[in-house]
Amino acid sequence: MLSEFVALLGSPNVGKSTLINALVGRKIAIVTKKPQTTRTRIVGVYTTPEFQIVFVDTPGIHTAKNKLSEYMVKTAETASRDVDVNVFVVDAKIGIGERDQEILSKLPRSVPLIIVINKVDAVDKTRLAHVKEQAEQYGSEILELSAKEGIGVGSLVEALKPYLKEGPQFYPEDMITDQPTEVLASEIIREKALKSIGKEIPYGIGVEIEKFQKEENRDLYHIEAVLYLERDSHKKIVIGAGGQKLKKIGTAAREDLQELLGSKVFLKLWVKVKADWRNKQGFLRSLGYHAD
């Protein structure tokens, strides 16, 4: 069996999560327009009868401002050293900025690098040529694709084939992620909350699953979750007038949860305030944000 580990790296909001979803053919990482949506290491598994590629989607590398940010950056930097190939994703609309240059300069030279220019469907040929010229100075293979539209995604798999090595099949052939179902459920709820609230609360939402239970002899899951916020003023925004905003979040989340589980879902959501929770190490661990 041939296999390899591949890290998807880059600045926030360049489309890494959309790319890993496109590669494995199923939604395993949440996607929003807000940067720093991915908070932890997510594994996506691409398996054929001949080989297996394990993709590691990492949080966007940014300037850490709290304990949660520090964890996110450390997760991404560690992944870049522990894989067979690094894939650095660039937004074609933005190009390679100062942050990207800094990240690229710190990547281990011992690990092969492929630069992916994503969102090519959103720019013209002149802009694309400029970004490609920027990428060429790093002396690595350059690919152009649109993860959202599914354009050129297969070319990345082809580009990774030369780096495959004889080794074990790390995951069963029918497994596409190592994320526990409860974690996927909490991320779906967080995604719907982020999409629903707009710009008012960009990052300070944490989700904890308190109950995840399937009824015996019934096609029904009971899920209860808490949305943690950092300020009382945020609580009013998330709940909304008459509870309508929270109801909207729950309805959208339930639809995706039912698709994920292949079953009906009864979902209850609560909102609680935990001041400065992104700087509380013990609380971060309870939400699953820890390196060990």
Side-chain angles (χ1 to χ4, degrees):
M1 185 70 174
L2 299 173
S3 58
E4 66 185 336
F5 278 80
V6 177
L8 300 180
L9 303 161
S11 295
N13 214 28
V14 294
K16 298 184 298 296
S17 295
T18 302
L19 179 55
I20 199 170
N21 289 341
L23 286 162
V24 303
R26 184 178 168 188
K27 184 175 183 176
I28 62 171
I30 67 173
V31 178
T32 77
K33 293 181 179 179
K34 293 179 173 61
Q36 301 167 34
T37 296
T38 299
R39 288 177 173 170
T40 189
R41 171 183 174 276
I42 298 172
V43 166
V45 186
Y46 182 99
T47 306
T48 73
E50 294 78 30
F51 62 88
Q52 183 174 83
I53 302 177
V54 182
F55 292 97
V56 182
D57 180 24
T58 64
I61 300 176
H62 57 282
T63 302
K65 297 181 179 179
N66 50 53
K67 293 293 184 183
L68 176 58
S69 292
E70 289 174 6
Y71 160 77
M72 292 162 63
V73 173
K74 183 178 179 181
T75 297
E77 291 178 344
T78 300
S80 71
R81 297 190 298 268
D82 296 340
V83 294
D84 300 300
V85 183
N86 281 319
V87 171
F88 190 84
V89 184
V90 177
D91 186 333
K93 295 180 293 183
I94 299 172
I96 299 178
E98 290 184 8
R99 177 188 287 138
D100 298 295
Q101 293 172 20
E102 183 179 355
I103 299 170
L104 284 163
S105 69
K106 292 180 179 179
L107 292 180
R109 297 181 181 275
S110 59
V111 180
L113 173 67
I114 295 175
I115 295 180
V116 164
I117 302 174
N118 189 26
K119 306 182 185 181
V120 297
D121 58 306
V123 298
D124 58 28
K125 292 182 179 179
T126 302
R127 176 60 185 169
L128 182 57
H130 172 69
V131 178
K132 189 173 182 180
E133 185 178 349
Q134 286 183 310
E136 285 173 349
Q137 65 181 300
Y138 295 95
S140 62
E141 186 169 1
I142 301 169
L143 301 177
E144 304 166 12
L145 58 81
S146 170
K148 182 179 178 181
E149 300 299 328
I151 301 170
V153 174
S155 65
L156 176 55
V157 175
E158 292 300 315
L160 291 167
K161 285 182 178 180
Y163 303 102
L164 289 163
K165 304 173 183 176
E166 287 287 347
Q169 180 173 313
F170 294 98
Y171 294 94
E173 60 184 27
D174 60 346
M175 187 173 181
I176 62 169
T177 183
D178 66 345
Q179 294 285 90
T181 305
E182 288 189 36
V183 172
L184 291 173
S186 69
E187 286 291 271
I188 284 172
I189 295 168
R190 185 165 68 91
E191 177 190 58
K192 302 311 175 188
L194 288 170
K195 287 185 174 181
S196 178
I197 60 179
K199 298 179 180 179
E200 297 99 327
I201 312 170
Y203 312 116
I205 294 182
V207 177
E208 183 175 28
I209 302 292
E210 291 197 332
K211 181 178 181 180
F212 192 92
Q213 182 179 338
K214 190 177 188 298
E215 281 195 20
E216 289 187 19
N217 305 318
R218 286 193 67 188
D219 186 26
L220 177 65
Y221 277 86
H222 289 269
I223 301 175
E224 298 179 8
V226 177
L227 278 68
Y228 285 101
L229 309 171
E230 292 185 308
R231 301 177 186 175
D232 287 318
S233 59
H234 290 171
K235 187 174 181 179
K236 294 179 181 179
I237 294 171
V238 172
I239 294 175
Q244 288 303 305
K245 185 65 69 69
L246 187 61
K247 182 179 179 181
K248 179 181 177 182
I249 293 169
T251 299
R254 185 170 58 252
E255 291 177 359
D256 275 20
L257 288 169
Q258 288 180 160
E259 183 177 348
L260 171 71
L261 299 169
S263 173
K264 294 180 180 178
V265 171
F266 181 75
L267 176 65
K268 283 187 177 181
L269 299 177
W270 285 270
V271 179
K272 296 182 180 180
V273 176
K274 185 81 170 179
D276 199 31
W277 68 263
R278 287 179 292 170
N279 275 314
K280 299 183 184 298
Q281 195 70 52
F283 188 70
L284 289 172
R285 290 180 65 87
S286 72
L287 294 184
Y289 304 129
H290 53 88
D292 54 328

